[in-house]
Structure formats: C-alpha cells, structure tokens
Amino acid sequence: VSVTAAAASEVSFVPDPSSALPGETANVSIWLDSTEGVFSFDAEIHFDPAVVNITDASAGDFPMGFGMGHYGNYVILGGVTSDFNDKPAGHWLIANLTLKAESAGTSPLNFNPSKTYLGNQNGKRVPATWNNGTFTCGEVSPGICCLCCLDCPPGTPCEYNPEIHTQEECTAAGGL
C-alpha cells in the first residue's frame, strides 16, 4: 500500500512579476490555493524601499481583524475569516496591495518564512508554499513608448511619444 502525501496549499502574488513607472502605483493581489481548510493568515513581506513601497492593503476573504503594519522595508498583514470557520479547500483572496514605484530598479517581494503562515480553526498551522514575487520600477525614456498604448482605446497617442498610436508602432520605435 502506498500513501501519497497531499499537496501543500500555495500562496502567490498576482500578477507576478508586477511593474510600474516611477511615481505610479500598481495593484497586486495575494491569492491562496488551499488544499485544506484555512481560518487565518499572517504574512511578513520584505521589499526594497528604494524601488517600491507597499502603501496600502485591503482585506480579501479573511477580513476580520485585518490589518497592515508598515516597518520601512517590510509590512505585516493578518486576518481571519468573517464567520470564524475554516474556508474549505479552494481559491481565496488573501489581500489586495497597492505598490508605489519609487525609482528605477527591481525589488523582490519576499515572504519571511519564519513569520508567514496559514492556520486552521483548531489552531494548527496549515502547510503552504509561499511564492515570492518581483516588482520592477522602469525608467521612462523620452520619445519611447511604454505599455500604456495597450490600455488605451485604439488611435490614442502615447503619453510619452504622441507619434505612436498602436502597440506595433511602439515596438517598431523600440518601446516596450
């Protein structure tokens, strides 16, 4: 008789990698794919404050007691289910984060494994894989387009190069 161990729950940043231009913000969510019941979470996320700052967080499916503490180069988040019962195995939103791009560079978004965990309503830790993420703050080059043309209606001039109106023109001009 062989016994197959259950897969661990998994926590990830979405999107990953994430990015923004200096001074802009990006919205990043933290998602849980659980293989068993989960009642609570605590997460400590480290980042490079010269590149990015986590400026805000809002609760997902663990809203009771939800909060964020900011400590310079890391934040601490936590919350529990609204009914104080385990969420069943499934896809659950832990939190939505607002990241502000500070200056050009790349920063890890790293969960501190010694202070990041899931718990069930019986007070036991739920095994999980916490996938670290990456945030990139890009530089704006005058005359070169960025991905803004992907979000604009067709024919809208690029705010960085008014001669560009499509993604194809952006690529041909050496943009992103």
Side-chain angles (χ1 to χ4, degrees):
V1 174
S2 67
V3 177
T4 303
S9 296
E10 195 166 344
V11 180
S12 302
F13 293 101
V14 175
D16 184 54
S18 55
S19 64
L21 295 172
E24 293 181 348
T25 59
N27 296 316
V28 175
S29 299
I30 303 172
W31 283 93
L32 162 65
D33 286 311
S34 64
T35 58
E36 62 183 275
V38 175
F39 161 78
S40 65
F41 82 95
D42 284 290
E44 184 175 293
I45 304 166
H46 289 250
F47 53 90
D48 179 351
V51 175
V52 65
N53 190 14
I54 300 175
T55 60
D56 195 21
S58 60
D61 294 309
F62 300 86
M64 296 302 292
F66 181 85
M68 178 181 90
H70 195 288
Y71 302 94
N73 67 337
Y74 69 97
V75 295
I76 297 175
L77 307 170
V80 300
T81 59
S82 58
D83 62 2
F84 297 101
N85 291 309
D86 284 345
K87 292 278 187 199
H91 190 64
W92 304 104
L93 176 62
I94 289 183
N96 291 304
L97 305 177
T98 302
L99 282 63
K100 181 175 182 242
E102 298 294 342
S103 62
T106 299
S107 172
L109 301 174
N110 287 342
F111 291 108
N112 178 345
S114 67
K115 299 198 177 174
T116 299
Y117 56 89
L118 303 171
N120 67 24
Q121 67 190 33
N122 297 321
K124 304 286 185 195
R125 291 204 177 177
V126 174
T129 299
W130 294 78
N131 296 311
N132 293 326
T134 304
F135 178 86
T136 300
C137 178
E139 293 187 50
V140 177
S141 301
I144 298 296
C145 181
C146 68
L147 291 175
C148 67
C149 57
L150 298 177
D151 298 326
C152 299
T156 303
C158 173
E159 63 183 278
Y160 301 105
N161 185 344
E163 301 301 313
I164 293 177
H165 296 83
T166 67
Q167 182 182 4
E168 290 78 23
E169 291 173 351
C170 174
T171 302
L176 299 175

